[in-house]
Amino acid sequence: MKYPRFTGAEPCAQVGTDLFFTPDNSIVYRDIREVKALCDACPMQGPCLEYALHVNVVGIWGGTTESQRRMIRRERNIIAEPITKAS
Ligand code: SF4
C-alpha cells in the first residue's frame, strides 16, 4: 500500500502527533474525540484511513482507532500488511 501524499498541512501535522499516539505506542489516547474531530476536518481523511486499513499502523489514523480499524478490516476482508520501511 502506497503511503499517502501528505502535505504537512494536515491537522495532525499542525498540532503534533503526540495527540494521535503515545510515544510507547500504547492504546491510551489523551482525548479520542478531539483527535477524531481533527481528522473529520482533514482533506486527507479518506486516503489516510485507506492506508491505515491496509498497513498495520498504530494510533489514530483517518479518524479511527486501532480497534475500529480491526472491525472495518473484518467487514471488508482486508488483511493489513506489516509496517515496513517501504510502507
Ligand atoms: S485524517 Fe490522517 S492525516 Fe488527517 S488529521 Fe487525521 S491522522 Fe492526520
XYZ file of all heavy atoms in Angstrom:
692
model
N 0.863 -1.193 0.000
C 0.000 0.000 0.000
C 0.894 1.235 0.000
O 1.800 1.341 0.810
C -0.886 -0.030 1.250
C -1.860 1.124 1.352
S -3.238 0.819 0.244
C -4.123 2.336 0.309
N 0.634 2.103 -0.909
C 1.474 3.301 -1.038
C 1.128 4.321 0.054
O -0.045 4.557 0.346
C 1.228 3.927 -2.410
C 2.364 4.760 -2.882
C 2.222 5.042 -4.362
C 3.359 5.958 -4.757
N 3.232 6.498 -6.072
N 2.171 4.899 0.617
C 1.981 5.908 1.664
C 1.307 7.141 1.055
O 1.693 7.584 -0.022
C 3.357 6.286 2.235
C 3.301 7.066 3.516
C 2.906 6.474 4.702
C 3.661 8.407 3.536
C 2.868 7.188 5.877
C 3.622 9.136 4.714
C 3.227 8.515 5.880
O 3.184 9.226 7.048
N 0.273 7.683 1.721
C -0.425 8.845 1.151
C 0.511 10.049 0.986
O 1.485 10.197 1.707
C -1.515 9.146 2.205
C -1.656 7.907 3.001
C -0.304 7.239 2.988
N 0.174 10.899 0.065
C 0.973 12.108 -0.173
C 0.526 13.214 0.770
O -0.188 14.137 0.367
C 0.816 12.569 -1.613
C 1.484 11.666 -2.602
C 1.259 12.200 -4.020
N 2.094 11.476 -4.934
C 3.137 12.009 -5.564
N 3.446 13.262 -5.379
N 3.858 11.283 -6.381
N 0.951 13.100 2.004
C 0.616 14.133 2.976
C 1.401 15.401 2.638
O 2.539 15.343 2.156
C 0.968 13.667 4.393
C 0.153 12.494 4.870
C 0.759 11.272 5.136
C -1.213 12.609 5.045
C 0.012 10.184 5.571
C -1.974 11.528 5.480
C -1.352 10.323 5.742
N 0.792 16.533 2.912
C 1.431 17.813 2.564
C 2.097 18.497 3.752
O 2.864 19.433 3.573
C 0.386 18.787 1.998
O -0.551 19.101 3.049
C -0.329 18.192 0.798
N 1.752 18.067 4.943
C 2.244 18.753 6.137
C 1.254 19.784 6.636
O 1.451 20.380 7.695
N 0.193 20.005 5.858
C -0.837 20.957 6.278
C -1.970 20.255 7.026
O -2.896 20.911 7.502
C -1.402 21.684 5.059
N -1.901 18.931 7.123
C -2.969 18.183 7.790
C -3.002 18.565 9.273
O -1.967 18.897 9.867
C -2.729 16.671 7.667
C -2.812 16.144 6.254
C -1.551 16.405 5.432
O -0.513 16.768 6.010
O -1.635 16.251 4.209
N -4.187 18.496 9.879
C -4.298 18.859 11.292
C -3.312 18.133 12.196
O -2.746 18.740 13.106
C -5.746 18.495 11.642
C -6.483 18.630 10.351
C -5.510 18.194 9.289
N -3.074 16.862 11.949
C -2.148 16.123 12.821
C -0.739 16.691 12.726
O -0.002 16.704 13.710
C -2.153 14.640 12.516
S -1.755 14.228 10.813
N -0.376 17.165 11.545
C 0.956 17.746 11.384
C 1.035 19.107 12.069
O 2.100 19.529 12.510
C 1.290 17.875 9.900
N -0.098 19.783 12.137
C -0.122 21.113 12.749
C -0.100 21.048 14.281
O 0.574 21.841 14.922
C -1.362 21.891 12.283
C -1.403 22.109 10.786
C -0.173 22.873 10.292
O 0.170 23.911 10.833
N 0.491 22.337 9.290
N -0.869 20.117 14.840
C -0.963 20.072 16.310
C 0.085 19.150 16.931
O 0.310 19.189 18.129
C -2.369 19.635 16.795
C -3.433 20.578 16.262
C -2.674 18.203 16.426
N 0.686 18.314 16.108
C 1.690 17.391 16.641
C 1.097 16.015 16.835
O -0.039 15.868 17.269
N 1.866 15.013 16.500
C 1.330 13.649 16.511
C 1.223 13.050 17.914
O 0.665 11.973 18.069
C 2.181 12.728 15.620
O 3.544 12.872 16.012
C 2.030 13.085 14.153
N 1.711 13.740 18.930
C 1.556 13.227 20.301
C 0.095 12.967 20.633
O -0.226 12.065 21.401
C 2.105 14.212 21.321
C 3.617 14.138 21.404
O 4.205 13.340 20.642
O 4.190 14.874 22.211
N -0.781 13.792 20.080
C -2.212 13.610 20.340
C -2.728 12.329 19.701
O -3.728 11.775 20.134
C -3.004 14.784 19.750
C -3.222 16.005 20.621
C -3.912 17.081 19.796
C -4.046 15.671 21.842
N -2.085 11.878 18.666
C -2.606 10.764 17.877
C -2.102 9.416 18.343
O -2.696 8.409 18.125
C -2.273 10.977 16.392
C -3.082 12.102 15.800
C -2.787 13.419 16.105
C -4.156 11.837 14.983
C -3.539 14.458 15.586
C -4.917 12.864 14.463
C -4.601 14.182 14.777
N -0.952 9.408 18.971
C -0.482 8.184 19.604
C 0.571 8.506 20.639
O 1.275 9.500 20.546
C 0.051 7.132 18.642
C 0.803 7.597 17.440
C 1.287 8.881 17.322
C 1.022 6.715 16.402
C 1.972 9.288 16.199
C 1.718 7.124 15.279
C 2.185 8.392 15.176
N 0.650 7.671 21.609
C 1.588 7.913 22.689
C 2.968 7.417 22.269
O 3.086 6.551 21.407
C 1.136 7.181 23.968
O 1.016 5.807 23.660
C -0.171 7.724 24.472
N 4.020 7.957 22.839
C 5.364 7.577 22.411
C 5.647 6.082 22.500
O 6.400 5.550 21.700
C 6.267 8.353 23.365
C 5.428 9.496 23.816
C 4.018 8.982 23.840
N 5.035 5.392 23.445
C 5.301 3.958 23.555
C 4.291 3.137 22.762
O 4.212 1.937 22.910
C 5.316 3.527 25.020
C 3.953 3.694 25.665
O 3.039 4.247 25.014
O 3.804 3.285 26.822
N 3.520 3.816 21.896
C 2.535 3.151 21.044
C 1.451 2.409 21.830
O 0.839 1.496 21.325
C 3.200 2.174 20.068
C 3.998 2.910 19.028
O 3.720 4.069 18.747
N 4.990 2.253 18.468
N 1.243 2.781 23.067
C 0.163 2.137 23.817
C -1.176 2.697 23.337
O -1.224 3.712 22.644
C 0.330 2.384 25.307
O 0.183 3.753 25.582
N -2.242 2.023 23.705
C -3.555 2.425 23.223
C -4.223 3.324 24.253
O -5.364 3.113 24.615
C -4.394 1.192 22.895
C -3.562 0.213 22.113
C -5.662 1.570 22.160
C -4.168 -0.530 21.024
N -3.506 4.267 24.726
C -4.066 5.225 25.689
C -4.038 6.589 25.022
O -3.000 7.219 24.913
C -3.237 5.261 26.981
C -3.822 6.253 27.956
C -3.180 3.886 27.601
N -5.158 7.010 24.517
C -5.225 8.287 23.828
C -5.670 9.358 24.806
O -6.475 9.112 25.681
C -6.199 8.214 22.662
C -5.882 7.104 21.719
C -6.741 6.042 21.566
C -4.686 7.110 21.027
C -6.433 5.009 20.715
C -4.376 6.085 20.170
C -5.253 5.036 20.017
O -4.940 4.014 19.179
N -5.135 10.528 24.621
C -5.457 11.601 25.569
C -6.900 12.047 25.420
O -7.598 12.273 26.370
C -4.523 12.775 25.336
C -3.133 12.422 25.728
C -2.232 13.601 25.586
N -0.873 13.112 25.668
C 0.164 13.737 25.214
N 0.035 14.914 24.658
N 1.346 13.227 25.342
N -7.337 12.248 24.209
C -8.721 12.676 24.009
C -9.148 12.259 22.612
O -8.978 12.981 21.641
C -8.837 14.184 24.174
C -10.280 14.624 24.184
O -11.136 13.916 23.630
O -10.551 15.693 24.745
N -9.705 11.068 22.531
C -10.036 10.497 21.224
C -11.025 11.372 20.458
O -10.900 11.567 19.260
C -10.581 9.064 21.400
C -9.441 8.154 21.858
C -11.176 8.540 20.111
C -9.853 6.736 22.159
N -12.004 11.948 21.168
C -12.989 12.776 20.462
C -12.344 13.991 19.811
O -12.673 14.354 18.688
C -14.076 13.246 21.432
C -15.222 12.305 21.478
C -16.389 12.957 22.149
N -17.088 11.947 22.913
C -17.926 12.188 23.885
N -18.166 13.422 24.246
N -18.516 11.218 24.506
N -11.462 14.614 20.521
C -10.772 15.792 19.983
C -9.972 15.418 18.741
O -10.000 16.108 17.722
C -9.839 16.384 21.049
C -9.075 17.594 20.573
C -8.032 18.041 21.593
O -8.119 17.632 22.767
O -7.130 18.781 21.204
N -9.279 14.320 18.822
C -8.460 13.885 17.698
C -9.335 13.508 16.508
O -9.046 13.872 15.363
C -7.564 12.698 18.111
C -6.833 12.129 16.926
C -6.583 13.148 19.172
N -10.426 12.803 16.760
C -11.306 12.427 15.664
C -11.917 13.643 14.984
O -12.129 13.644 13.776
C -12.407 11.507 16.162
C -11.898 10.119 16.457
C -13.020 9.232 16.893
C -12.556 7.801 16.922
N -13.650 6.869 17.124
N -12.207 14.693 15.759
C -12.743 15.917 15.171
C -11.715 16.543 14.231
O -12.065 17.069 13.168
C -13.136 16.907 16.269
N -10.459 16.465 14.595
C -9.407 16.973 13.712
C -9.374 16.164 12.417
O -9.277 16.722 11.328
C -8.047 16.901 14.409
C -7.841 17.852 15.587
C -6.542 17.529 16.309
C -7.842 19.297 15.124
N -9.459 14.865 12.534
C -9.453 14.005 11.344
C -10.683 14.274 10.467
O -10.572 14.280 9.237
C -9.415 12.538 11.732
S -7.860 12.013 12.476
N -11.832 14.498 11.083
C -13.048 14.742 10.301
C -12.927 16.000 9.458
O -13.602 16.149 8.441
C -14.271 14.835 11.218
C -14.690 13.470 11.740
O -14.222 12.445 11.188
O -15.477 13.425 12.709
N -12.085 16.938 9.895
C -11.902 18.195 9.152
C -10.722 18.119 8.192
O -10.391 19.106 7.543
C -11.690 19.345 10.150
N -10.119 16.974 8.081
C -8.891 16.833 7.293
C -9.215 16.413 5.854
O -9.927 15.438 5.640
C -7.997 15.778 7.941
S -6.490 15.457 7.002
N -8.665 17.102 4.877
C -8.923 16.705 3.479
C -8.276 15.375 3.103
O -8.621 14.789 2.082
C -8.310 17.857 2.669
C -7.356 18.536 3.581
C -7.855 18.317 4.986
N -7.370 14.893 3.916
C -6.688 13.622 3.627
C -7.313 12.449 4.368
O -6.750 11.347 4.383
C -5.217 13.721 4.019
C -4.401 14.579 3.080
S -4.307 13.861 1.417
C -3.195 12.490 1.712
N -8.468 12.652 4.971
C -9.034 11.586 5.802
C -9.237 10.288 5.017
O -8.914 9.207 5.507
C -10.354 12.012 6.442
C -10.851 10.990 7.448
C -12.111 11.404 8.163
O -12.898 12.197 7.643
N -12.310 10.897 9.356
N -9.762 10.373 3.809
C -10.013 9.158 3.016
C -8.745 8.368 2.741
O -8.648 7.184 3.084
N -7.743 8.983 2.094
C -6.507 8.248 1.832
C -5.801 7.796 3.099
O -5.193 6.720 3.136
C -5.632 9.256 1.061
C -6.542 10.339 0.613
C -7.742 10.304 1.485
N -5.876 8.608 4.132
C -5.236 8.260 5.406
C -5.876 6.999 5.979
O -5.185 6.068 6.389
C -5.390 9.447 6.361
S -4.658 9.184 7.975
N -7.187 6.958 5.976
C -7.878 5.783 6.505
C -7.602 4.552 5.653
O -7.342 3.466 6.182
C -9.388 6.051 6.589
C -10.237 4.865 7.028
C -9.777 4.334 8.387
C -11.706 5.245 7.068
N -7.638 4.696 4.335
C -7.377 3.538 3.472
C -5.986 2.972 3.732
O -5.808 1.759 3.799
C -7.539 3.916 1.993
C -8.975 3.957 1.544
C -9.749 2.663 1.820
O -9.279 1.576 1.434
O -10.828 2.739 2.431
N -5.025 3.855 3.880
C -3.670 3.395 4.171
C -3.650 2.625 5.492
O -3.086 1.535 5.586
C -2.716 4.586 4.231
C -1.313 4.196 4.592
C -0.467 3.638 3.647
C -0.833 4.365 5.894
C 0.820 3.245 3.976
C 0.454 3.980 6.236
C 1.271 3.425 5.274
O 2.541 3.036 5.606
N -4.273 3.213 6.507
C -4.249 2.600 7.839
C -5.020 1.284 7.880
O -4.743 0.423 8.713
C -4.821 3.583 8.869
N -5.978 1.118 6.983
C -6.690 -0.160 6.919
C -5.809 -1.244 6.294
O -5.936 -2.417 6.627
C -7.978 -0.019 6.098
C -9.108 0.769 6.759
C -10.232 1.013 5.753
C -9.638 0.061 7.995
N -4.922 -0.838 5.413
C -4.111 -1.813 4.675
C -2.723 -2.022 5.251
O -2.031 -2.955 4.852
C -4.024 -1.410 3.198
C -5.320 -1.596 2.471
N -6.315 -0.647 2.463
C -5.803 -2.650 1.767
C -7.350 -1.100 1.764
N -7.064 -2.316 1.341
N -2.305 -1.141 6.130
C -0.997 -1.273 6.784
C -1.234 -1.217 8.286
O -2.001 -0.380 8.775
C -0.031 -0.156 6.336
C 1.293 -0.283 7.050
C 0.167 -0.202 4.828
N -0.587 -2.073 9.006
C -0.887 -2.231 10.431
C -0.222 -1.149 11.289
O 0.626 -1.423 12.117
C -0.444 -3.624 10.871
C -1.213 -4.096 12.072
O -2.201 -3.479 12.455
N -0.759 -5.166 12.669
N -0.664 0.090 11.094
C -0.109 1.223 11.834
C -0.769 1.335 13.205
O -1.827 0.759 13.447
C -0.309 2.533 11.043
C 0.562 2.551 9.797
C -1.769 2.743 10.686
N -0.150 2.078 14.077
C -0.711 2.272 15.418
C -1.251 3.690 15.555
O -0.920 4.567 14.773
C 0.346 2.010 16.515
C 0.827 0.578 16.473
C 1.502 2.980 16.385
N -2.100 3.871 16.556
C -2.637 5.198 16.824
C -3.872 5.497 15.996
O -4.440 4.621 15.357
N -4.297 6.747 16.050
C -5.479 7.160 15.307
C -5.058 7.628 13.922
O -4.203 8.489 13.778
C -6.236 8.280 16.055
C -6.795 7.725 17.367
C -7.355 8.855 15.180
C -7.549 8.729 18.189
N -5.673 7.040 12.926
C -5.452 7.409 11.524
C -6.828 7.548 10.876
O -7.691 6.693 11.054
C -4.680 6.322 10.776
C -3.223 6.228 11.111
C -2.678 5.896 12.312
C -2.126 6.439 10.225
N -1.309 5.890 12.228
C -0.941 6.222 10.945
C -2.023 6.787 8.874
C 0.316 6.342 10.366
C -0.777 6.903 8.293
C 0.381 6.682 9.048
N -7.018 8.586 10.121
C -8.278 8.746 9.403
C -9.482 8.762 10.323
O -10.577 8.397 9.918
N -9.295 9.185 11.545
C -10.411 9.275 12.488
C -10.801 7.962 13.125
O -11.867 7.867 13.752
N -9.989 6.935 12.964
C -10.327 5.640 13.553
C -9.247 5.188 14.533
O -8.063 5.461 14.352
C -10.456 4.539 12.475
O -9.208 4.413 11.792
C -11.564 4.860 11.492
N -9.686 4.467 15.524
C -8.751 3.832 16.447
C -8.330 2.484 15.870
O -8.918 1.997 14.901
C -9.418 3.578 17.815
O -10.518 2.682 17.617
C -9.906 4.875 18.452
N -7.345 1.877 16.494
C -6.892 0.570 16.022
C -8.011 -0.466 16.094
O -8.183 -1.281 15.179
C -5.691 0.112 16.841
C -4.464 0.960 16.563
C -3.350 0.763 17.574
O -3.094 -0.385 17.955
O -2.742 1.762 17.984
N -8.796 -0.439 17.165
C -9.865 -1.444 17.279
C -10.953 -1.188 16.236
O -11.509 -2.146 15.680
C -10.446 -1.472 18.691
O -11.036 -0.243 19.004
N -11.230 0.057 15.931
C -12.222 0.336 14.882
C -11.710 -0.150 13.519
O -12.482 -0.692 12.725
C -12.531 1.833 14.824
C -13.332 2.311 16.009
C -13.487 3.813 16.038
O -12.561 4.556 15.718
N -14.662 4.272 16.420
N -10.427 0.028 13.285
C -9.889 -0.441 12.005
C -9.932 -1.963 11.920
O -10.178 -2.526 10.850
C -8.463 0.084 11.790
C -8.424 1.576 11.507
C -7.097 2.011 10.955
N -5.983 1.806 11.839
C -5.599 2.647 12.806
N -6.279 3.762 13.030
N -4.561 2.380 13.559
N -9.703 -2.644 13.048
C -9.799 -4.109 13.020
C -11.216 -4.534 12.612
O -11.396 -5.469 11.835
C -9.429 -4.700 14.385
C -7.927 -4.772 14.620
C -7.588 -5.652 15.805
N -8.013 -5.074 17.074
C -7.283 -4.209 17.783
N -6.095 -3.835 17.371
N -7.731 -3.727 18.927
N -12.233 -3.831 13.123
C -13.621 -4.161 12.768
C -13.875 -3.907 11.289
O -14.492 -4.714 10.595
C -14.603 -3.345 13.614
C -14.699 -3.831 15.035
S -16.101 -3.154 15.971
C -16.231 -1.492 15.421
N -13.412 -2.760 10.795
C -13.617 -2.428 9.373
C -12.908 -3.453 8.485
O -13.445 -3.889 7.467
C -13.121 -0.997 9.065
C -13.955 0.033 9.829
C -13.181 -0.714 7.564
C -13.387 1.449 9.795
N -11.692 -3.847 8.887
C -10.965 -4.859 8.103
C -11.762 -6.157 8.020
O -11.825 -6.787 6.968
C -9.597 -5.130 8.723
C -8.600 -4.033 8.497
C -7.235 -4.437 9.070
N -6.371 -3.299 9.166
C -5.850 -2.837 10.307
N -6.088 -3.463 11.450
N -5.087 -1.768 10.313
N -12.332 -6.545 9.153
C -13.131 -7.782 9.146
C -14.314 -7.641 8.185
O -14.585 -8.541 7.396
C -13.629 -8.117 10.555
C -12.636 -8.899 11.382
C -13.281 -9.548 12.599
N -13.813 -8.582 13.547
C -13.112 -8.033 14.539
N -11.863 -8.371 14.734
N -13.655 -7.156 15.351
N -15.003 -6.487 8.256
C -16.175 -6.272 7.399
C -15.793 -6.280 5.922
O -16.542 -6.754 5.073
C -16.835 -4.931 7.734
C -17.544 -4.915 9.070
C -17.915 -3.511 9.515
O -17.718 -2.552 8.738
O -18.379 -3.365 10.656
N -14.601 -5.712 5.624
C -14.203 -5.571 4.214
C -13.207 -6.645 3.774
O -12.706 -6.591 2.658
C -13.594 -4.176 4.002
C -14.640 -3.070 4.141
C -14.052 -1.684 4.033
N -13.184 -1.508 2.880
C -12.487 -0.412 2.619
N -12.597 0.628 3.433
N -11.714 -0.327 1.581
N -12.952 -7.611 4.643
C -11.997 -8.694 4.323
C -10.629 -8.153 3.909
O -10.053 -8.568 2.903
C -12.549 -9.596 3.215
C -13.725 -10.392 3.690
O -13.733 -10.876 4.816
N -14.732 -10.500 2.854
N -10.138 -7.225 4.674
C -8.817 -6.642 4.408
C -7.815 -7.283 5.371
O -8.069 -7.368 6.570
C -8.838 -5.115 4.635
C -9.741 -4.438 3.612
C -7.425 -4.535 4.580
C -9.993 -2.961 3.896
N -6.712 -7.719 4.832
C -5.616 -8.216 5.666
C -4.520 -7.164 5.636
O -3.948 -6.875 4.566
C -5.095 -9.574 5.161
C -6.222 -10.606 5.252
C -3.865 -10.006 5.977
C -5.897 -11.937 4.628
N -4.248 -6.566 6.791
C -3.265 -5.482 6.850
C -1.849 -6.022 6.708
O -1.511 -7.069 7.255
C -3.410 -4.725 8.164
N -1.049 -5.266 5.961
C 0.371 -5.596 5.816
C 1.105 -5.117 7.065
O 0.713 -4.122 7.673
C 0.980 -4.837 4.630
C 0.288 -5.017 3.323
C 0.726 -3.954 2.306
O 1.731 -3.256 2.536
O 0.036 -3.835 1.294
N 2.195 -5.793 7.418
C 3.004 -5.243 8.499
C 3.665 -3.943 8.044
O 3.834 -3.717 6.848
C 4.050 -6.331 8.748
C 4.047 -7.173 7.523
C 2.704 -7.029 6.875
N 4.024 -3.124 8.988
C 4.717 -1.872 8.660
C 6.137 -2.219 8.207
O 6.831 -3.000 8.851
C 4.806 -0.946 9.881
C 3.416 -0.634 10.382
C 5.550 0.330 9.561
C 3.410 0.097 11.709
N 6.524 -1.643 7.098
C 7.914 -1.800 6.645
C 8.450 -0.414 6.342
O 7.691 0.553 6.267
C 8.006 -2.655 5.367
O 7.357 -1.941 4.320
C 7.388 -4.014 5.566
N 9.734 -0.315 6.105
C 10.319 0.980 5.756
C 9.760 1.493 4.440
O 9.706 2.673 4.204
C 11.832 0.870 5.674
C 12.457 0.805 7.025
C 13.946 0.940 6.953
C 14.481 0.958 8.365
N 15.902 1.181 8.411
N 9.335 0.584 3.568
C 8.799 0.988 2.261
C 7.321 1.342 2.322
O 6.778 1.836 1.360
C 9.010 -0.125 1.252
N 6.655 1.086 3.462
C 5.209 1.331 3.562
C 4.911 2.816 3.456
O 5.617 3.637 3.902
C 4.655 0.810 4.874
O 4.727 -0.586 4.924
S -7.079 12.069 8.769
Fe -4.950 11.315 8.863
S -3.732 12.987 8.010
Fe -5.710 13.827 8.573
S -5.506 14.609 10.646
Fe -6.268 12.521 10.815
S -4.441 11.239 11.052
Fe -3.770 13.252 10.243
